[in-house]
Amino acid sequence: MTSEKAGMSFASFGEERENLTQATLKVQAVAAALGSGHRVRDLQAVHDRLISDRFRVLFVGNFDAGKSTLINAMLGDEVLPARFLPTTGIVTVVRYGSERRAFFCPPHNSEGPTPPPVRVPISEFEKHLTIAEDGAGPSLYSRAEIEWPADILRNGVEIIDSPGLDDPLKDGAVRMESTIRQVAGADIVVYVSACGGAMGRGDMNFIHTYLHPLGHQELHIVLTKIDTVPPSQRDRFVNAATRNLTSFAPAERIFFVNALGGLEARMSSNDEQLVQSSLPALERSIEEHLGDRRGTVKLLAPATGIKYVIGEMSEVVRKRENNLALHASEVRQNCARVNEILPLLERQCDRIDELVGYYLREIEPEVEEIAKKFMRDAAEQCQGWVGDMPEGDSLRLQDAIRMRERLEAAARRTAGHLESRFQHAFTKWQEDELNHLLRNRVARMEEKVKSDLREFLDVVHRAEQALAGDHAVESSPTVHDSSALDQVLDDLIAPLPGANPEVAGASGVSQLLSQLWWTISAGLVLLLLRSVAVTVVARVLTQFWKRPDSAVTYAVVSEFSRQLGQEEPNWGVAIRKTVASGLGDLQAAINSALTSKVLHIGEQSQALLADIESNTAGQRLAGLANDLEQAAVEVEATLQRLHRA
């Protein structure tokens, strides 16, 4: 007996993707025949996404957790360099290829063309990828790419190896930032930690601060080097660690792996040793999760968009067939009326875009001010934050003289605690103050442009009536309960390749805002790396000996507070720029929605004139209607299967 909610396998994902690809091509051909150029472009974007969509599996963890060794074990060969010191200097993407090849991608300057990747021999790959002994990572390239014939990479799976967190070498913070940039685009995050230091405070802070806010609530957690735990203690260790980690991942997604043993087993074809490494169980879990959850999400958005365009194109066909019943002179008269309206619509688009930009830019100074205030408040709260540290974390000078490593450990513990409290305060500030401010100000912007949007919709309505052959072209449009901006944006959201199916039914403004907050959240999280006192410990350790009367804890607190205060101006400007970028995306989406309506009307007017000059227009439209009906049946069947999966 099958369960009510059966998961989707990789094989069924491929079948459904092919069904949607064929339906997309069919609807695209109809859109082209109807002269709807902007929908042809939309459907091309959906098609390109379907055929190139990949599953991105990101491996994250500290520099000594064994990520590269684990990935090598999954690939069955020593593909990535793995050493005792931090090794991976840039993000490395491994995808399927029948030929073993390696490429390095130069940094892309947004003002110029994207530079082509540079191919290097596999034998020289490690030389370009690894971190130099002085800690400076490779500066010539932004990303490495490898093509490798491994079974786990089939069906569009990409494995991403990231620079290690908590990298103590030079430029470690820069490498950590490159890791965080990969989080938002990953389908699955595999968090890797060595059994010897299983999921410490730094690991948990990273999960709470960077992974959970960006949607990765369902992690895979891998504790490597399980072979280093004595056999007599292994069961007790596994049980205890599993209990501690179930708040981050379900027990069935927590794995204890001997990655090096798995690699050796794969290279020597030792099946028994491979099973004992627990590697196959991890791989099965990743594939099941990709097919069951992410595969459905990846297909649901384009399927919903295709269904929307089918409905729109069907309505266009119906209107065109109605117009064929009119006298040719009447159709020409209606199209002439529409052509007179189009310049007015274009002017209205420009005015609305200018108004939206003006009111959104007004938000930026307020954002900068509350961001700087947050930084000032955080600097003042440092002394209070350290008050809830566990007993024993503070260490005095006389202890440090006898054992310098204890001094370093105490300083790092204090700095880690302060950073954790800072991150928690930042998250709460973003939810309580920043997002509240942005929502209120965007709502105010919508109120300011409401009358212009209503006027735009009135003119659009008159043009659409003329195209439909409706004689009552001067009548008022039907009044809707939703806002004017929602009416404009609702038509844009569904066909977008990136539309979020989990927000289906939400108003246009609400959905765009939800995606905007997500983008801003990702950008703001990255700012922590630039603003948190990453050099606190180094400063304290070099200056401590000149201040023999100070405790380590309070020396760290003082330095941490000083750096937060010093970063206040930079912090305000950086957050302002990040929010401005997100609001710019919102303005562009609104302008795109308005322009799309104008383009659609112009295209349909030209197509109607072509219809009345054609003797076969009726027969052709009937054929297009039949093609749309077939595509609708296919897409609806796919949607039903996806909702059951």
Side-chain angles (χ1 to χ4, degrees), residues 370 373 428-438:
I370 66 168
K373 182 179 182 300
K428 189 173 187 304
W429 168 79
Q430 182 179 321
E431 294 173 353
D432 295 347
E433 296 188 44
L434 178 62
N435 285 356
H436 179 72
L437 170 69
L438 291 176

Side-chain angles (χ1 to χ4, degrees), residues 38 91 306 502 505 533 535 635:
H38 76 292
V91 169
I306 297 167
E502 297 178 0
T535 60
V635 172

Side-chain angles (χ1 to χ4, degrees), residues 17 20-21 24 45-53 299 302 306:
R17 179 166 62 178
L20 286 177
T21 300
T24 302
V46 173
H47 174 268
D48 292 345
R49 173 180 176 180
L50 283 168
I51 63 174
S52 64
D53 220 347
L299 295 182
I306 297 167

Side-chain angles (χ1 to χ4, degrees), residues 559-584:
E559 179 61 23
F560 198 95
S561 176
R562 187 190 70 80
Q563 287 200 29
L564 290 184
Q566 190 175 36
E567 284 290 338
E568 178 191 321
N570 297 334
W571 173 267
V573 171
I575 289 188
R576 176 176 180 163
K577 288 181 178 179
T578 305
V579 171
S581 176
L583 294 176

Side-chain angles (χ1 to χ4, degrees), residues 435-478:
N435 285 356
H436 179 72
L437 170 69
L438 291 176
R439 289 187 184 279
N440 284 343
R441 296 302 180 264
V442 170
R444 186 175 67 181
M445 176 275 294
E446 184 179 359
E447 182 66 24
K448 294 288 188 180
V449 301
K450 180 172 64 175
S451 60
D452 291 271
L453 285 167
R454 285 293 185 190
E455 183 180 349
F456 174 82
L457 290 174
D458 287 346
V459 178
V460 167
H461 177 74
R462 295 203 305 270
E464 289 175 340
Q465 284 188 310
L467 290 175
D470 191 334
H471 294 283
V473 293
E474 300 302 330
S475 64
S476 299
T478 303

Side-chain angles (χ1 to χ4, degrees), residues 195-242:
C195 285
M199 298 297 290
R201 177 183 292 171
D203 298 291
M204 296 180 181
N205 284 344
F206 186 87
I207 291 173
H208 281 307
T209 304
Y210 300 106
L211 299 185
H212 286 174
L214 293 177
H216 292 287
Q217 306 291 337
E218 299 182 354
L219 299 174
H220 278 68
I221 294 180
V222 179
L223 298 185
T224 58
K225 307 177 185 178
I226 185 62
D227 52 303
T228 62
V229 178
S232 61
Q233 302 177 28
R234 198 165 295 171
D235 289 344
R236 187 172 61 179
F237 172 80
V238 168
N239 292 334
T242 301

Side-chain angles (χ1 to χ4, degrees), residues 502-525:
E502 297 178 0
V503 200
S507 69
V509 176
S510 297
Q511 181 160 340
L512 278 176
L513 288 182
S514 69
Q515 295 175 352
L516 171 64
W517 307 147
W518 189 275
T519 302
I520 290 177
S521 174
L524 292 179
V525 167

Side-chain angles (χ1 to χ4, degrees), residues 181-319:
R181 290 187 185 279
Q182 301 298 315
V183 172
D187 292 292
I188 285 182
V189 172
V190 180
Y191 199 92
V192 184
S193 180
C195 285
M199 298 297 290
R201 177 183 292 171
D203 298 291
M204 296 180 181
N205 284 344
F206 186 87
I207 291 173
H208 281 307
T209 304
Y210 300 106
L211 299 185
H212 286 174
L214 293 177
H216 292 287
Q217 306 291 337
E218 299 182 354
L219 299 174
H220 278 68
I221 294 180
V222 179
L223 298 185
T224 58
K225 307 177 185 178
I226 185 62
D227 52 303
T228 62
V229 178
S232 61
Q233 302 177 28
R234 198 165 295 171
D235 289 344
R236 187 172 61 179
F237 172 80
V238 168
N239 292 334
T242 301
R243 284 195 303 270
N244 292 335
L245 296 176
T246 49
S247 60
F248 300 103
E252 62 271 18
R253 293 206 186 107
I254 300 173
F255 296 88
F256 300 83
V257 176
N258 177 3
L260 187 58
L263 174 60
E264 293 171 350
R266 279 249 160 86
M267 296 180 69
S268 62
S269 301
N270 188 329
D271 293 339
E272 182 178 353
Q273 182 182 358
L274 182 62
V275 172
Q276 291 175 352
S277 72
S278 296
L279 199 62
L282 169 63
E283 294 168 344
R284 284 194 302 272
S285 179
I286 290 175
E287 289 192 356
E288 288 170 1
H289 189 58
L290 285 174
D292 183 28
R293 299 280 301 187
R294 303 306 300 179
T296 301
V297 171
K298 280 183 177 290
L299 295 182
L300 197 55
T304 304
I306 297 167
K307 180 180 178 180
Y308 177 92
V309 176
I310 289 174
E312 182 186 70
M313 292 296 100
S314 297
E315 182 65 13
V316 169
V317 170
R318 185 191 67 78
K319 291 178 179 179

